[in-house]
Amino acid sequence: MADSTYEQALVNFRVVVVGAGFITGIGGLSTAVALANRGHSVLVLESTPKLLHVGAGVALPPPTRKWFESEGVLQIDDPVCVPWDGIEIRKWDSGDLVIQTASNPLGKQTAIHHGDLQLALLARAQQLEDKIEIRLGVRVADVDLSSSPNAVILANGERIQGDLIIAADGVKSTLKSKICPPEAAKPTSTGEAAYRFTLPRELLEADEELLSLVDRPWGIRWDGPDAHVVAYPVRGHKLLNLVLIHPDDGQAAESWTTVSDKKNVIADFQGWNSTLTKLIDLAPSAIPNFRMFLYPPAPVWVKGSTILLGDACHAMLPYLGQGVAQAVEDATAIAAVLSAVKNKEQLPFALWAYQVSRKERVDQIQAATYKAREKLHLKDGAAQAARDLERKLAAEKNQNTDVSKMQQAYWAWDAAKVATTALTERIAAMGA
């Protein structure tokens, strides 16, 4: 049941969330939990018949980790989490240390396996079963924006109305084309893909250097020509997570289940440092390979009483680690404004405030994320040396630079406050 810890909504809405994120995203269930905690009734419709424990590690910024704790999803000392002391940036070929990132007053990043985060969200949703209903194996085919209230239409023809429809159905959203013009759903290839795999601690125990990678609370990043690699421990130091961004050779697809032969990984990272080479040698024979696309900013997030949320409206590339964080900010914003309205007639004002408070911010972050890869993937040796010298000089002043500085610049943001302020101003302007 809804917890008295949370300020309860003045008006209770019936919300239909399309997409529980049982394959990739976490925006749908995160939003469902936030709304249920504040007294709203939520129906979650998920197309997959069961949760698939797929994906890889994700790094949660400090405010995102605290949000999951505040909503009852994660615990303060949760065993599946690994708080980082920081990130070590090393040379791609020699493996020599360039810098260790400076600490941030907002706190530590936390590493968690995507599947573990999904399970934690599902467990919290089940605790709120009097407010959250989850229907699995249900495919939403359309949304009726002309009905009042709006209604989703299932593949079997069933109609389900809700005071609010939230399309959190990911980068390949079915409902996005109903809200945005067709070109908004057309991605362009980045020319890059990502190998992702995890190694159990037991595989690393025979090598002291590799064992230290999973035992130490640090992330490691190697920035090389046209590629970079990130490695860090997850699941309470039981797994080492690796993400290897590389030029796209056309073999990958935009899917968590596409795999590539290990020989391709070896060829792509030939000449890199011996530590990475040893890790690749331990990888499974078939390695997930995810093709990365750049999605244009969604020009519209709201139509009628239906909204877009998370990857459905602002799919993030992984270069700044903002995907989960921005989905959580969406959840925070919509829960805040929906719980602040005084009557159902103010719902349009709440949805206006949601879009206004979020769109400009995520558009900027999407653009910055794409730009960040330029610093990560410098080809020229002289340019790499200049970049690394800049990083060292900043570190001597206990400062961060380029990508780390960009990441942390986005951590300090109060999505609930910004959204509710926009709502208050809108209501006053409309004299409602």
Side-chain angles (χ1 to χ4, degrees), residues 71-89:
E71 298 294 335
V73 176
L74 296 176
Q75 308 305 313
I76 293 177
D77 296 317
D78 207 301
V80 300
C81 296
V82 178
W84 289 351
D85 285 346
I87 299 175
E88 291 183 346
I89 301 175

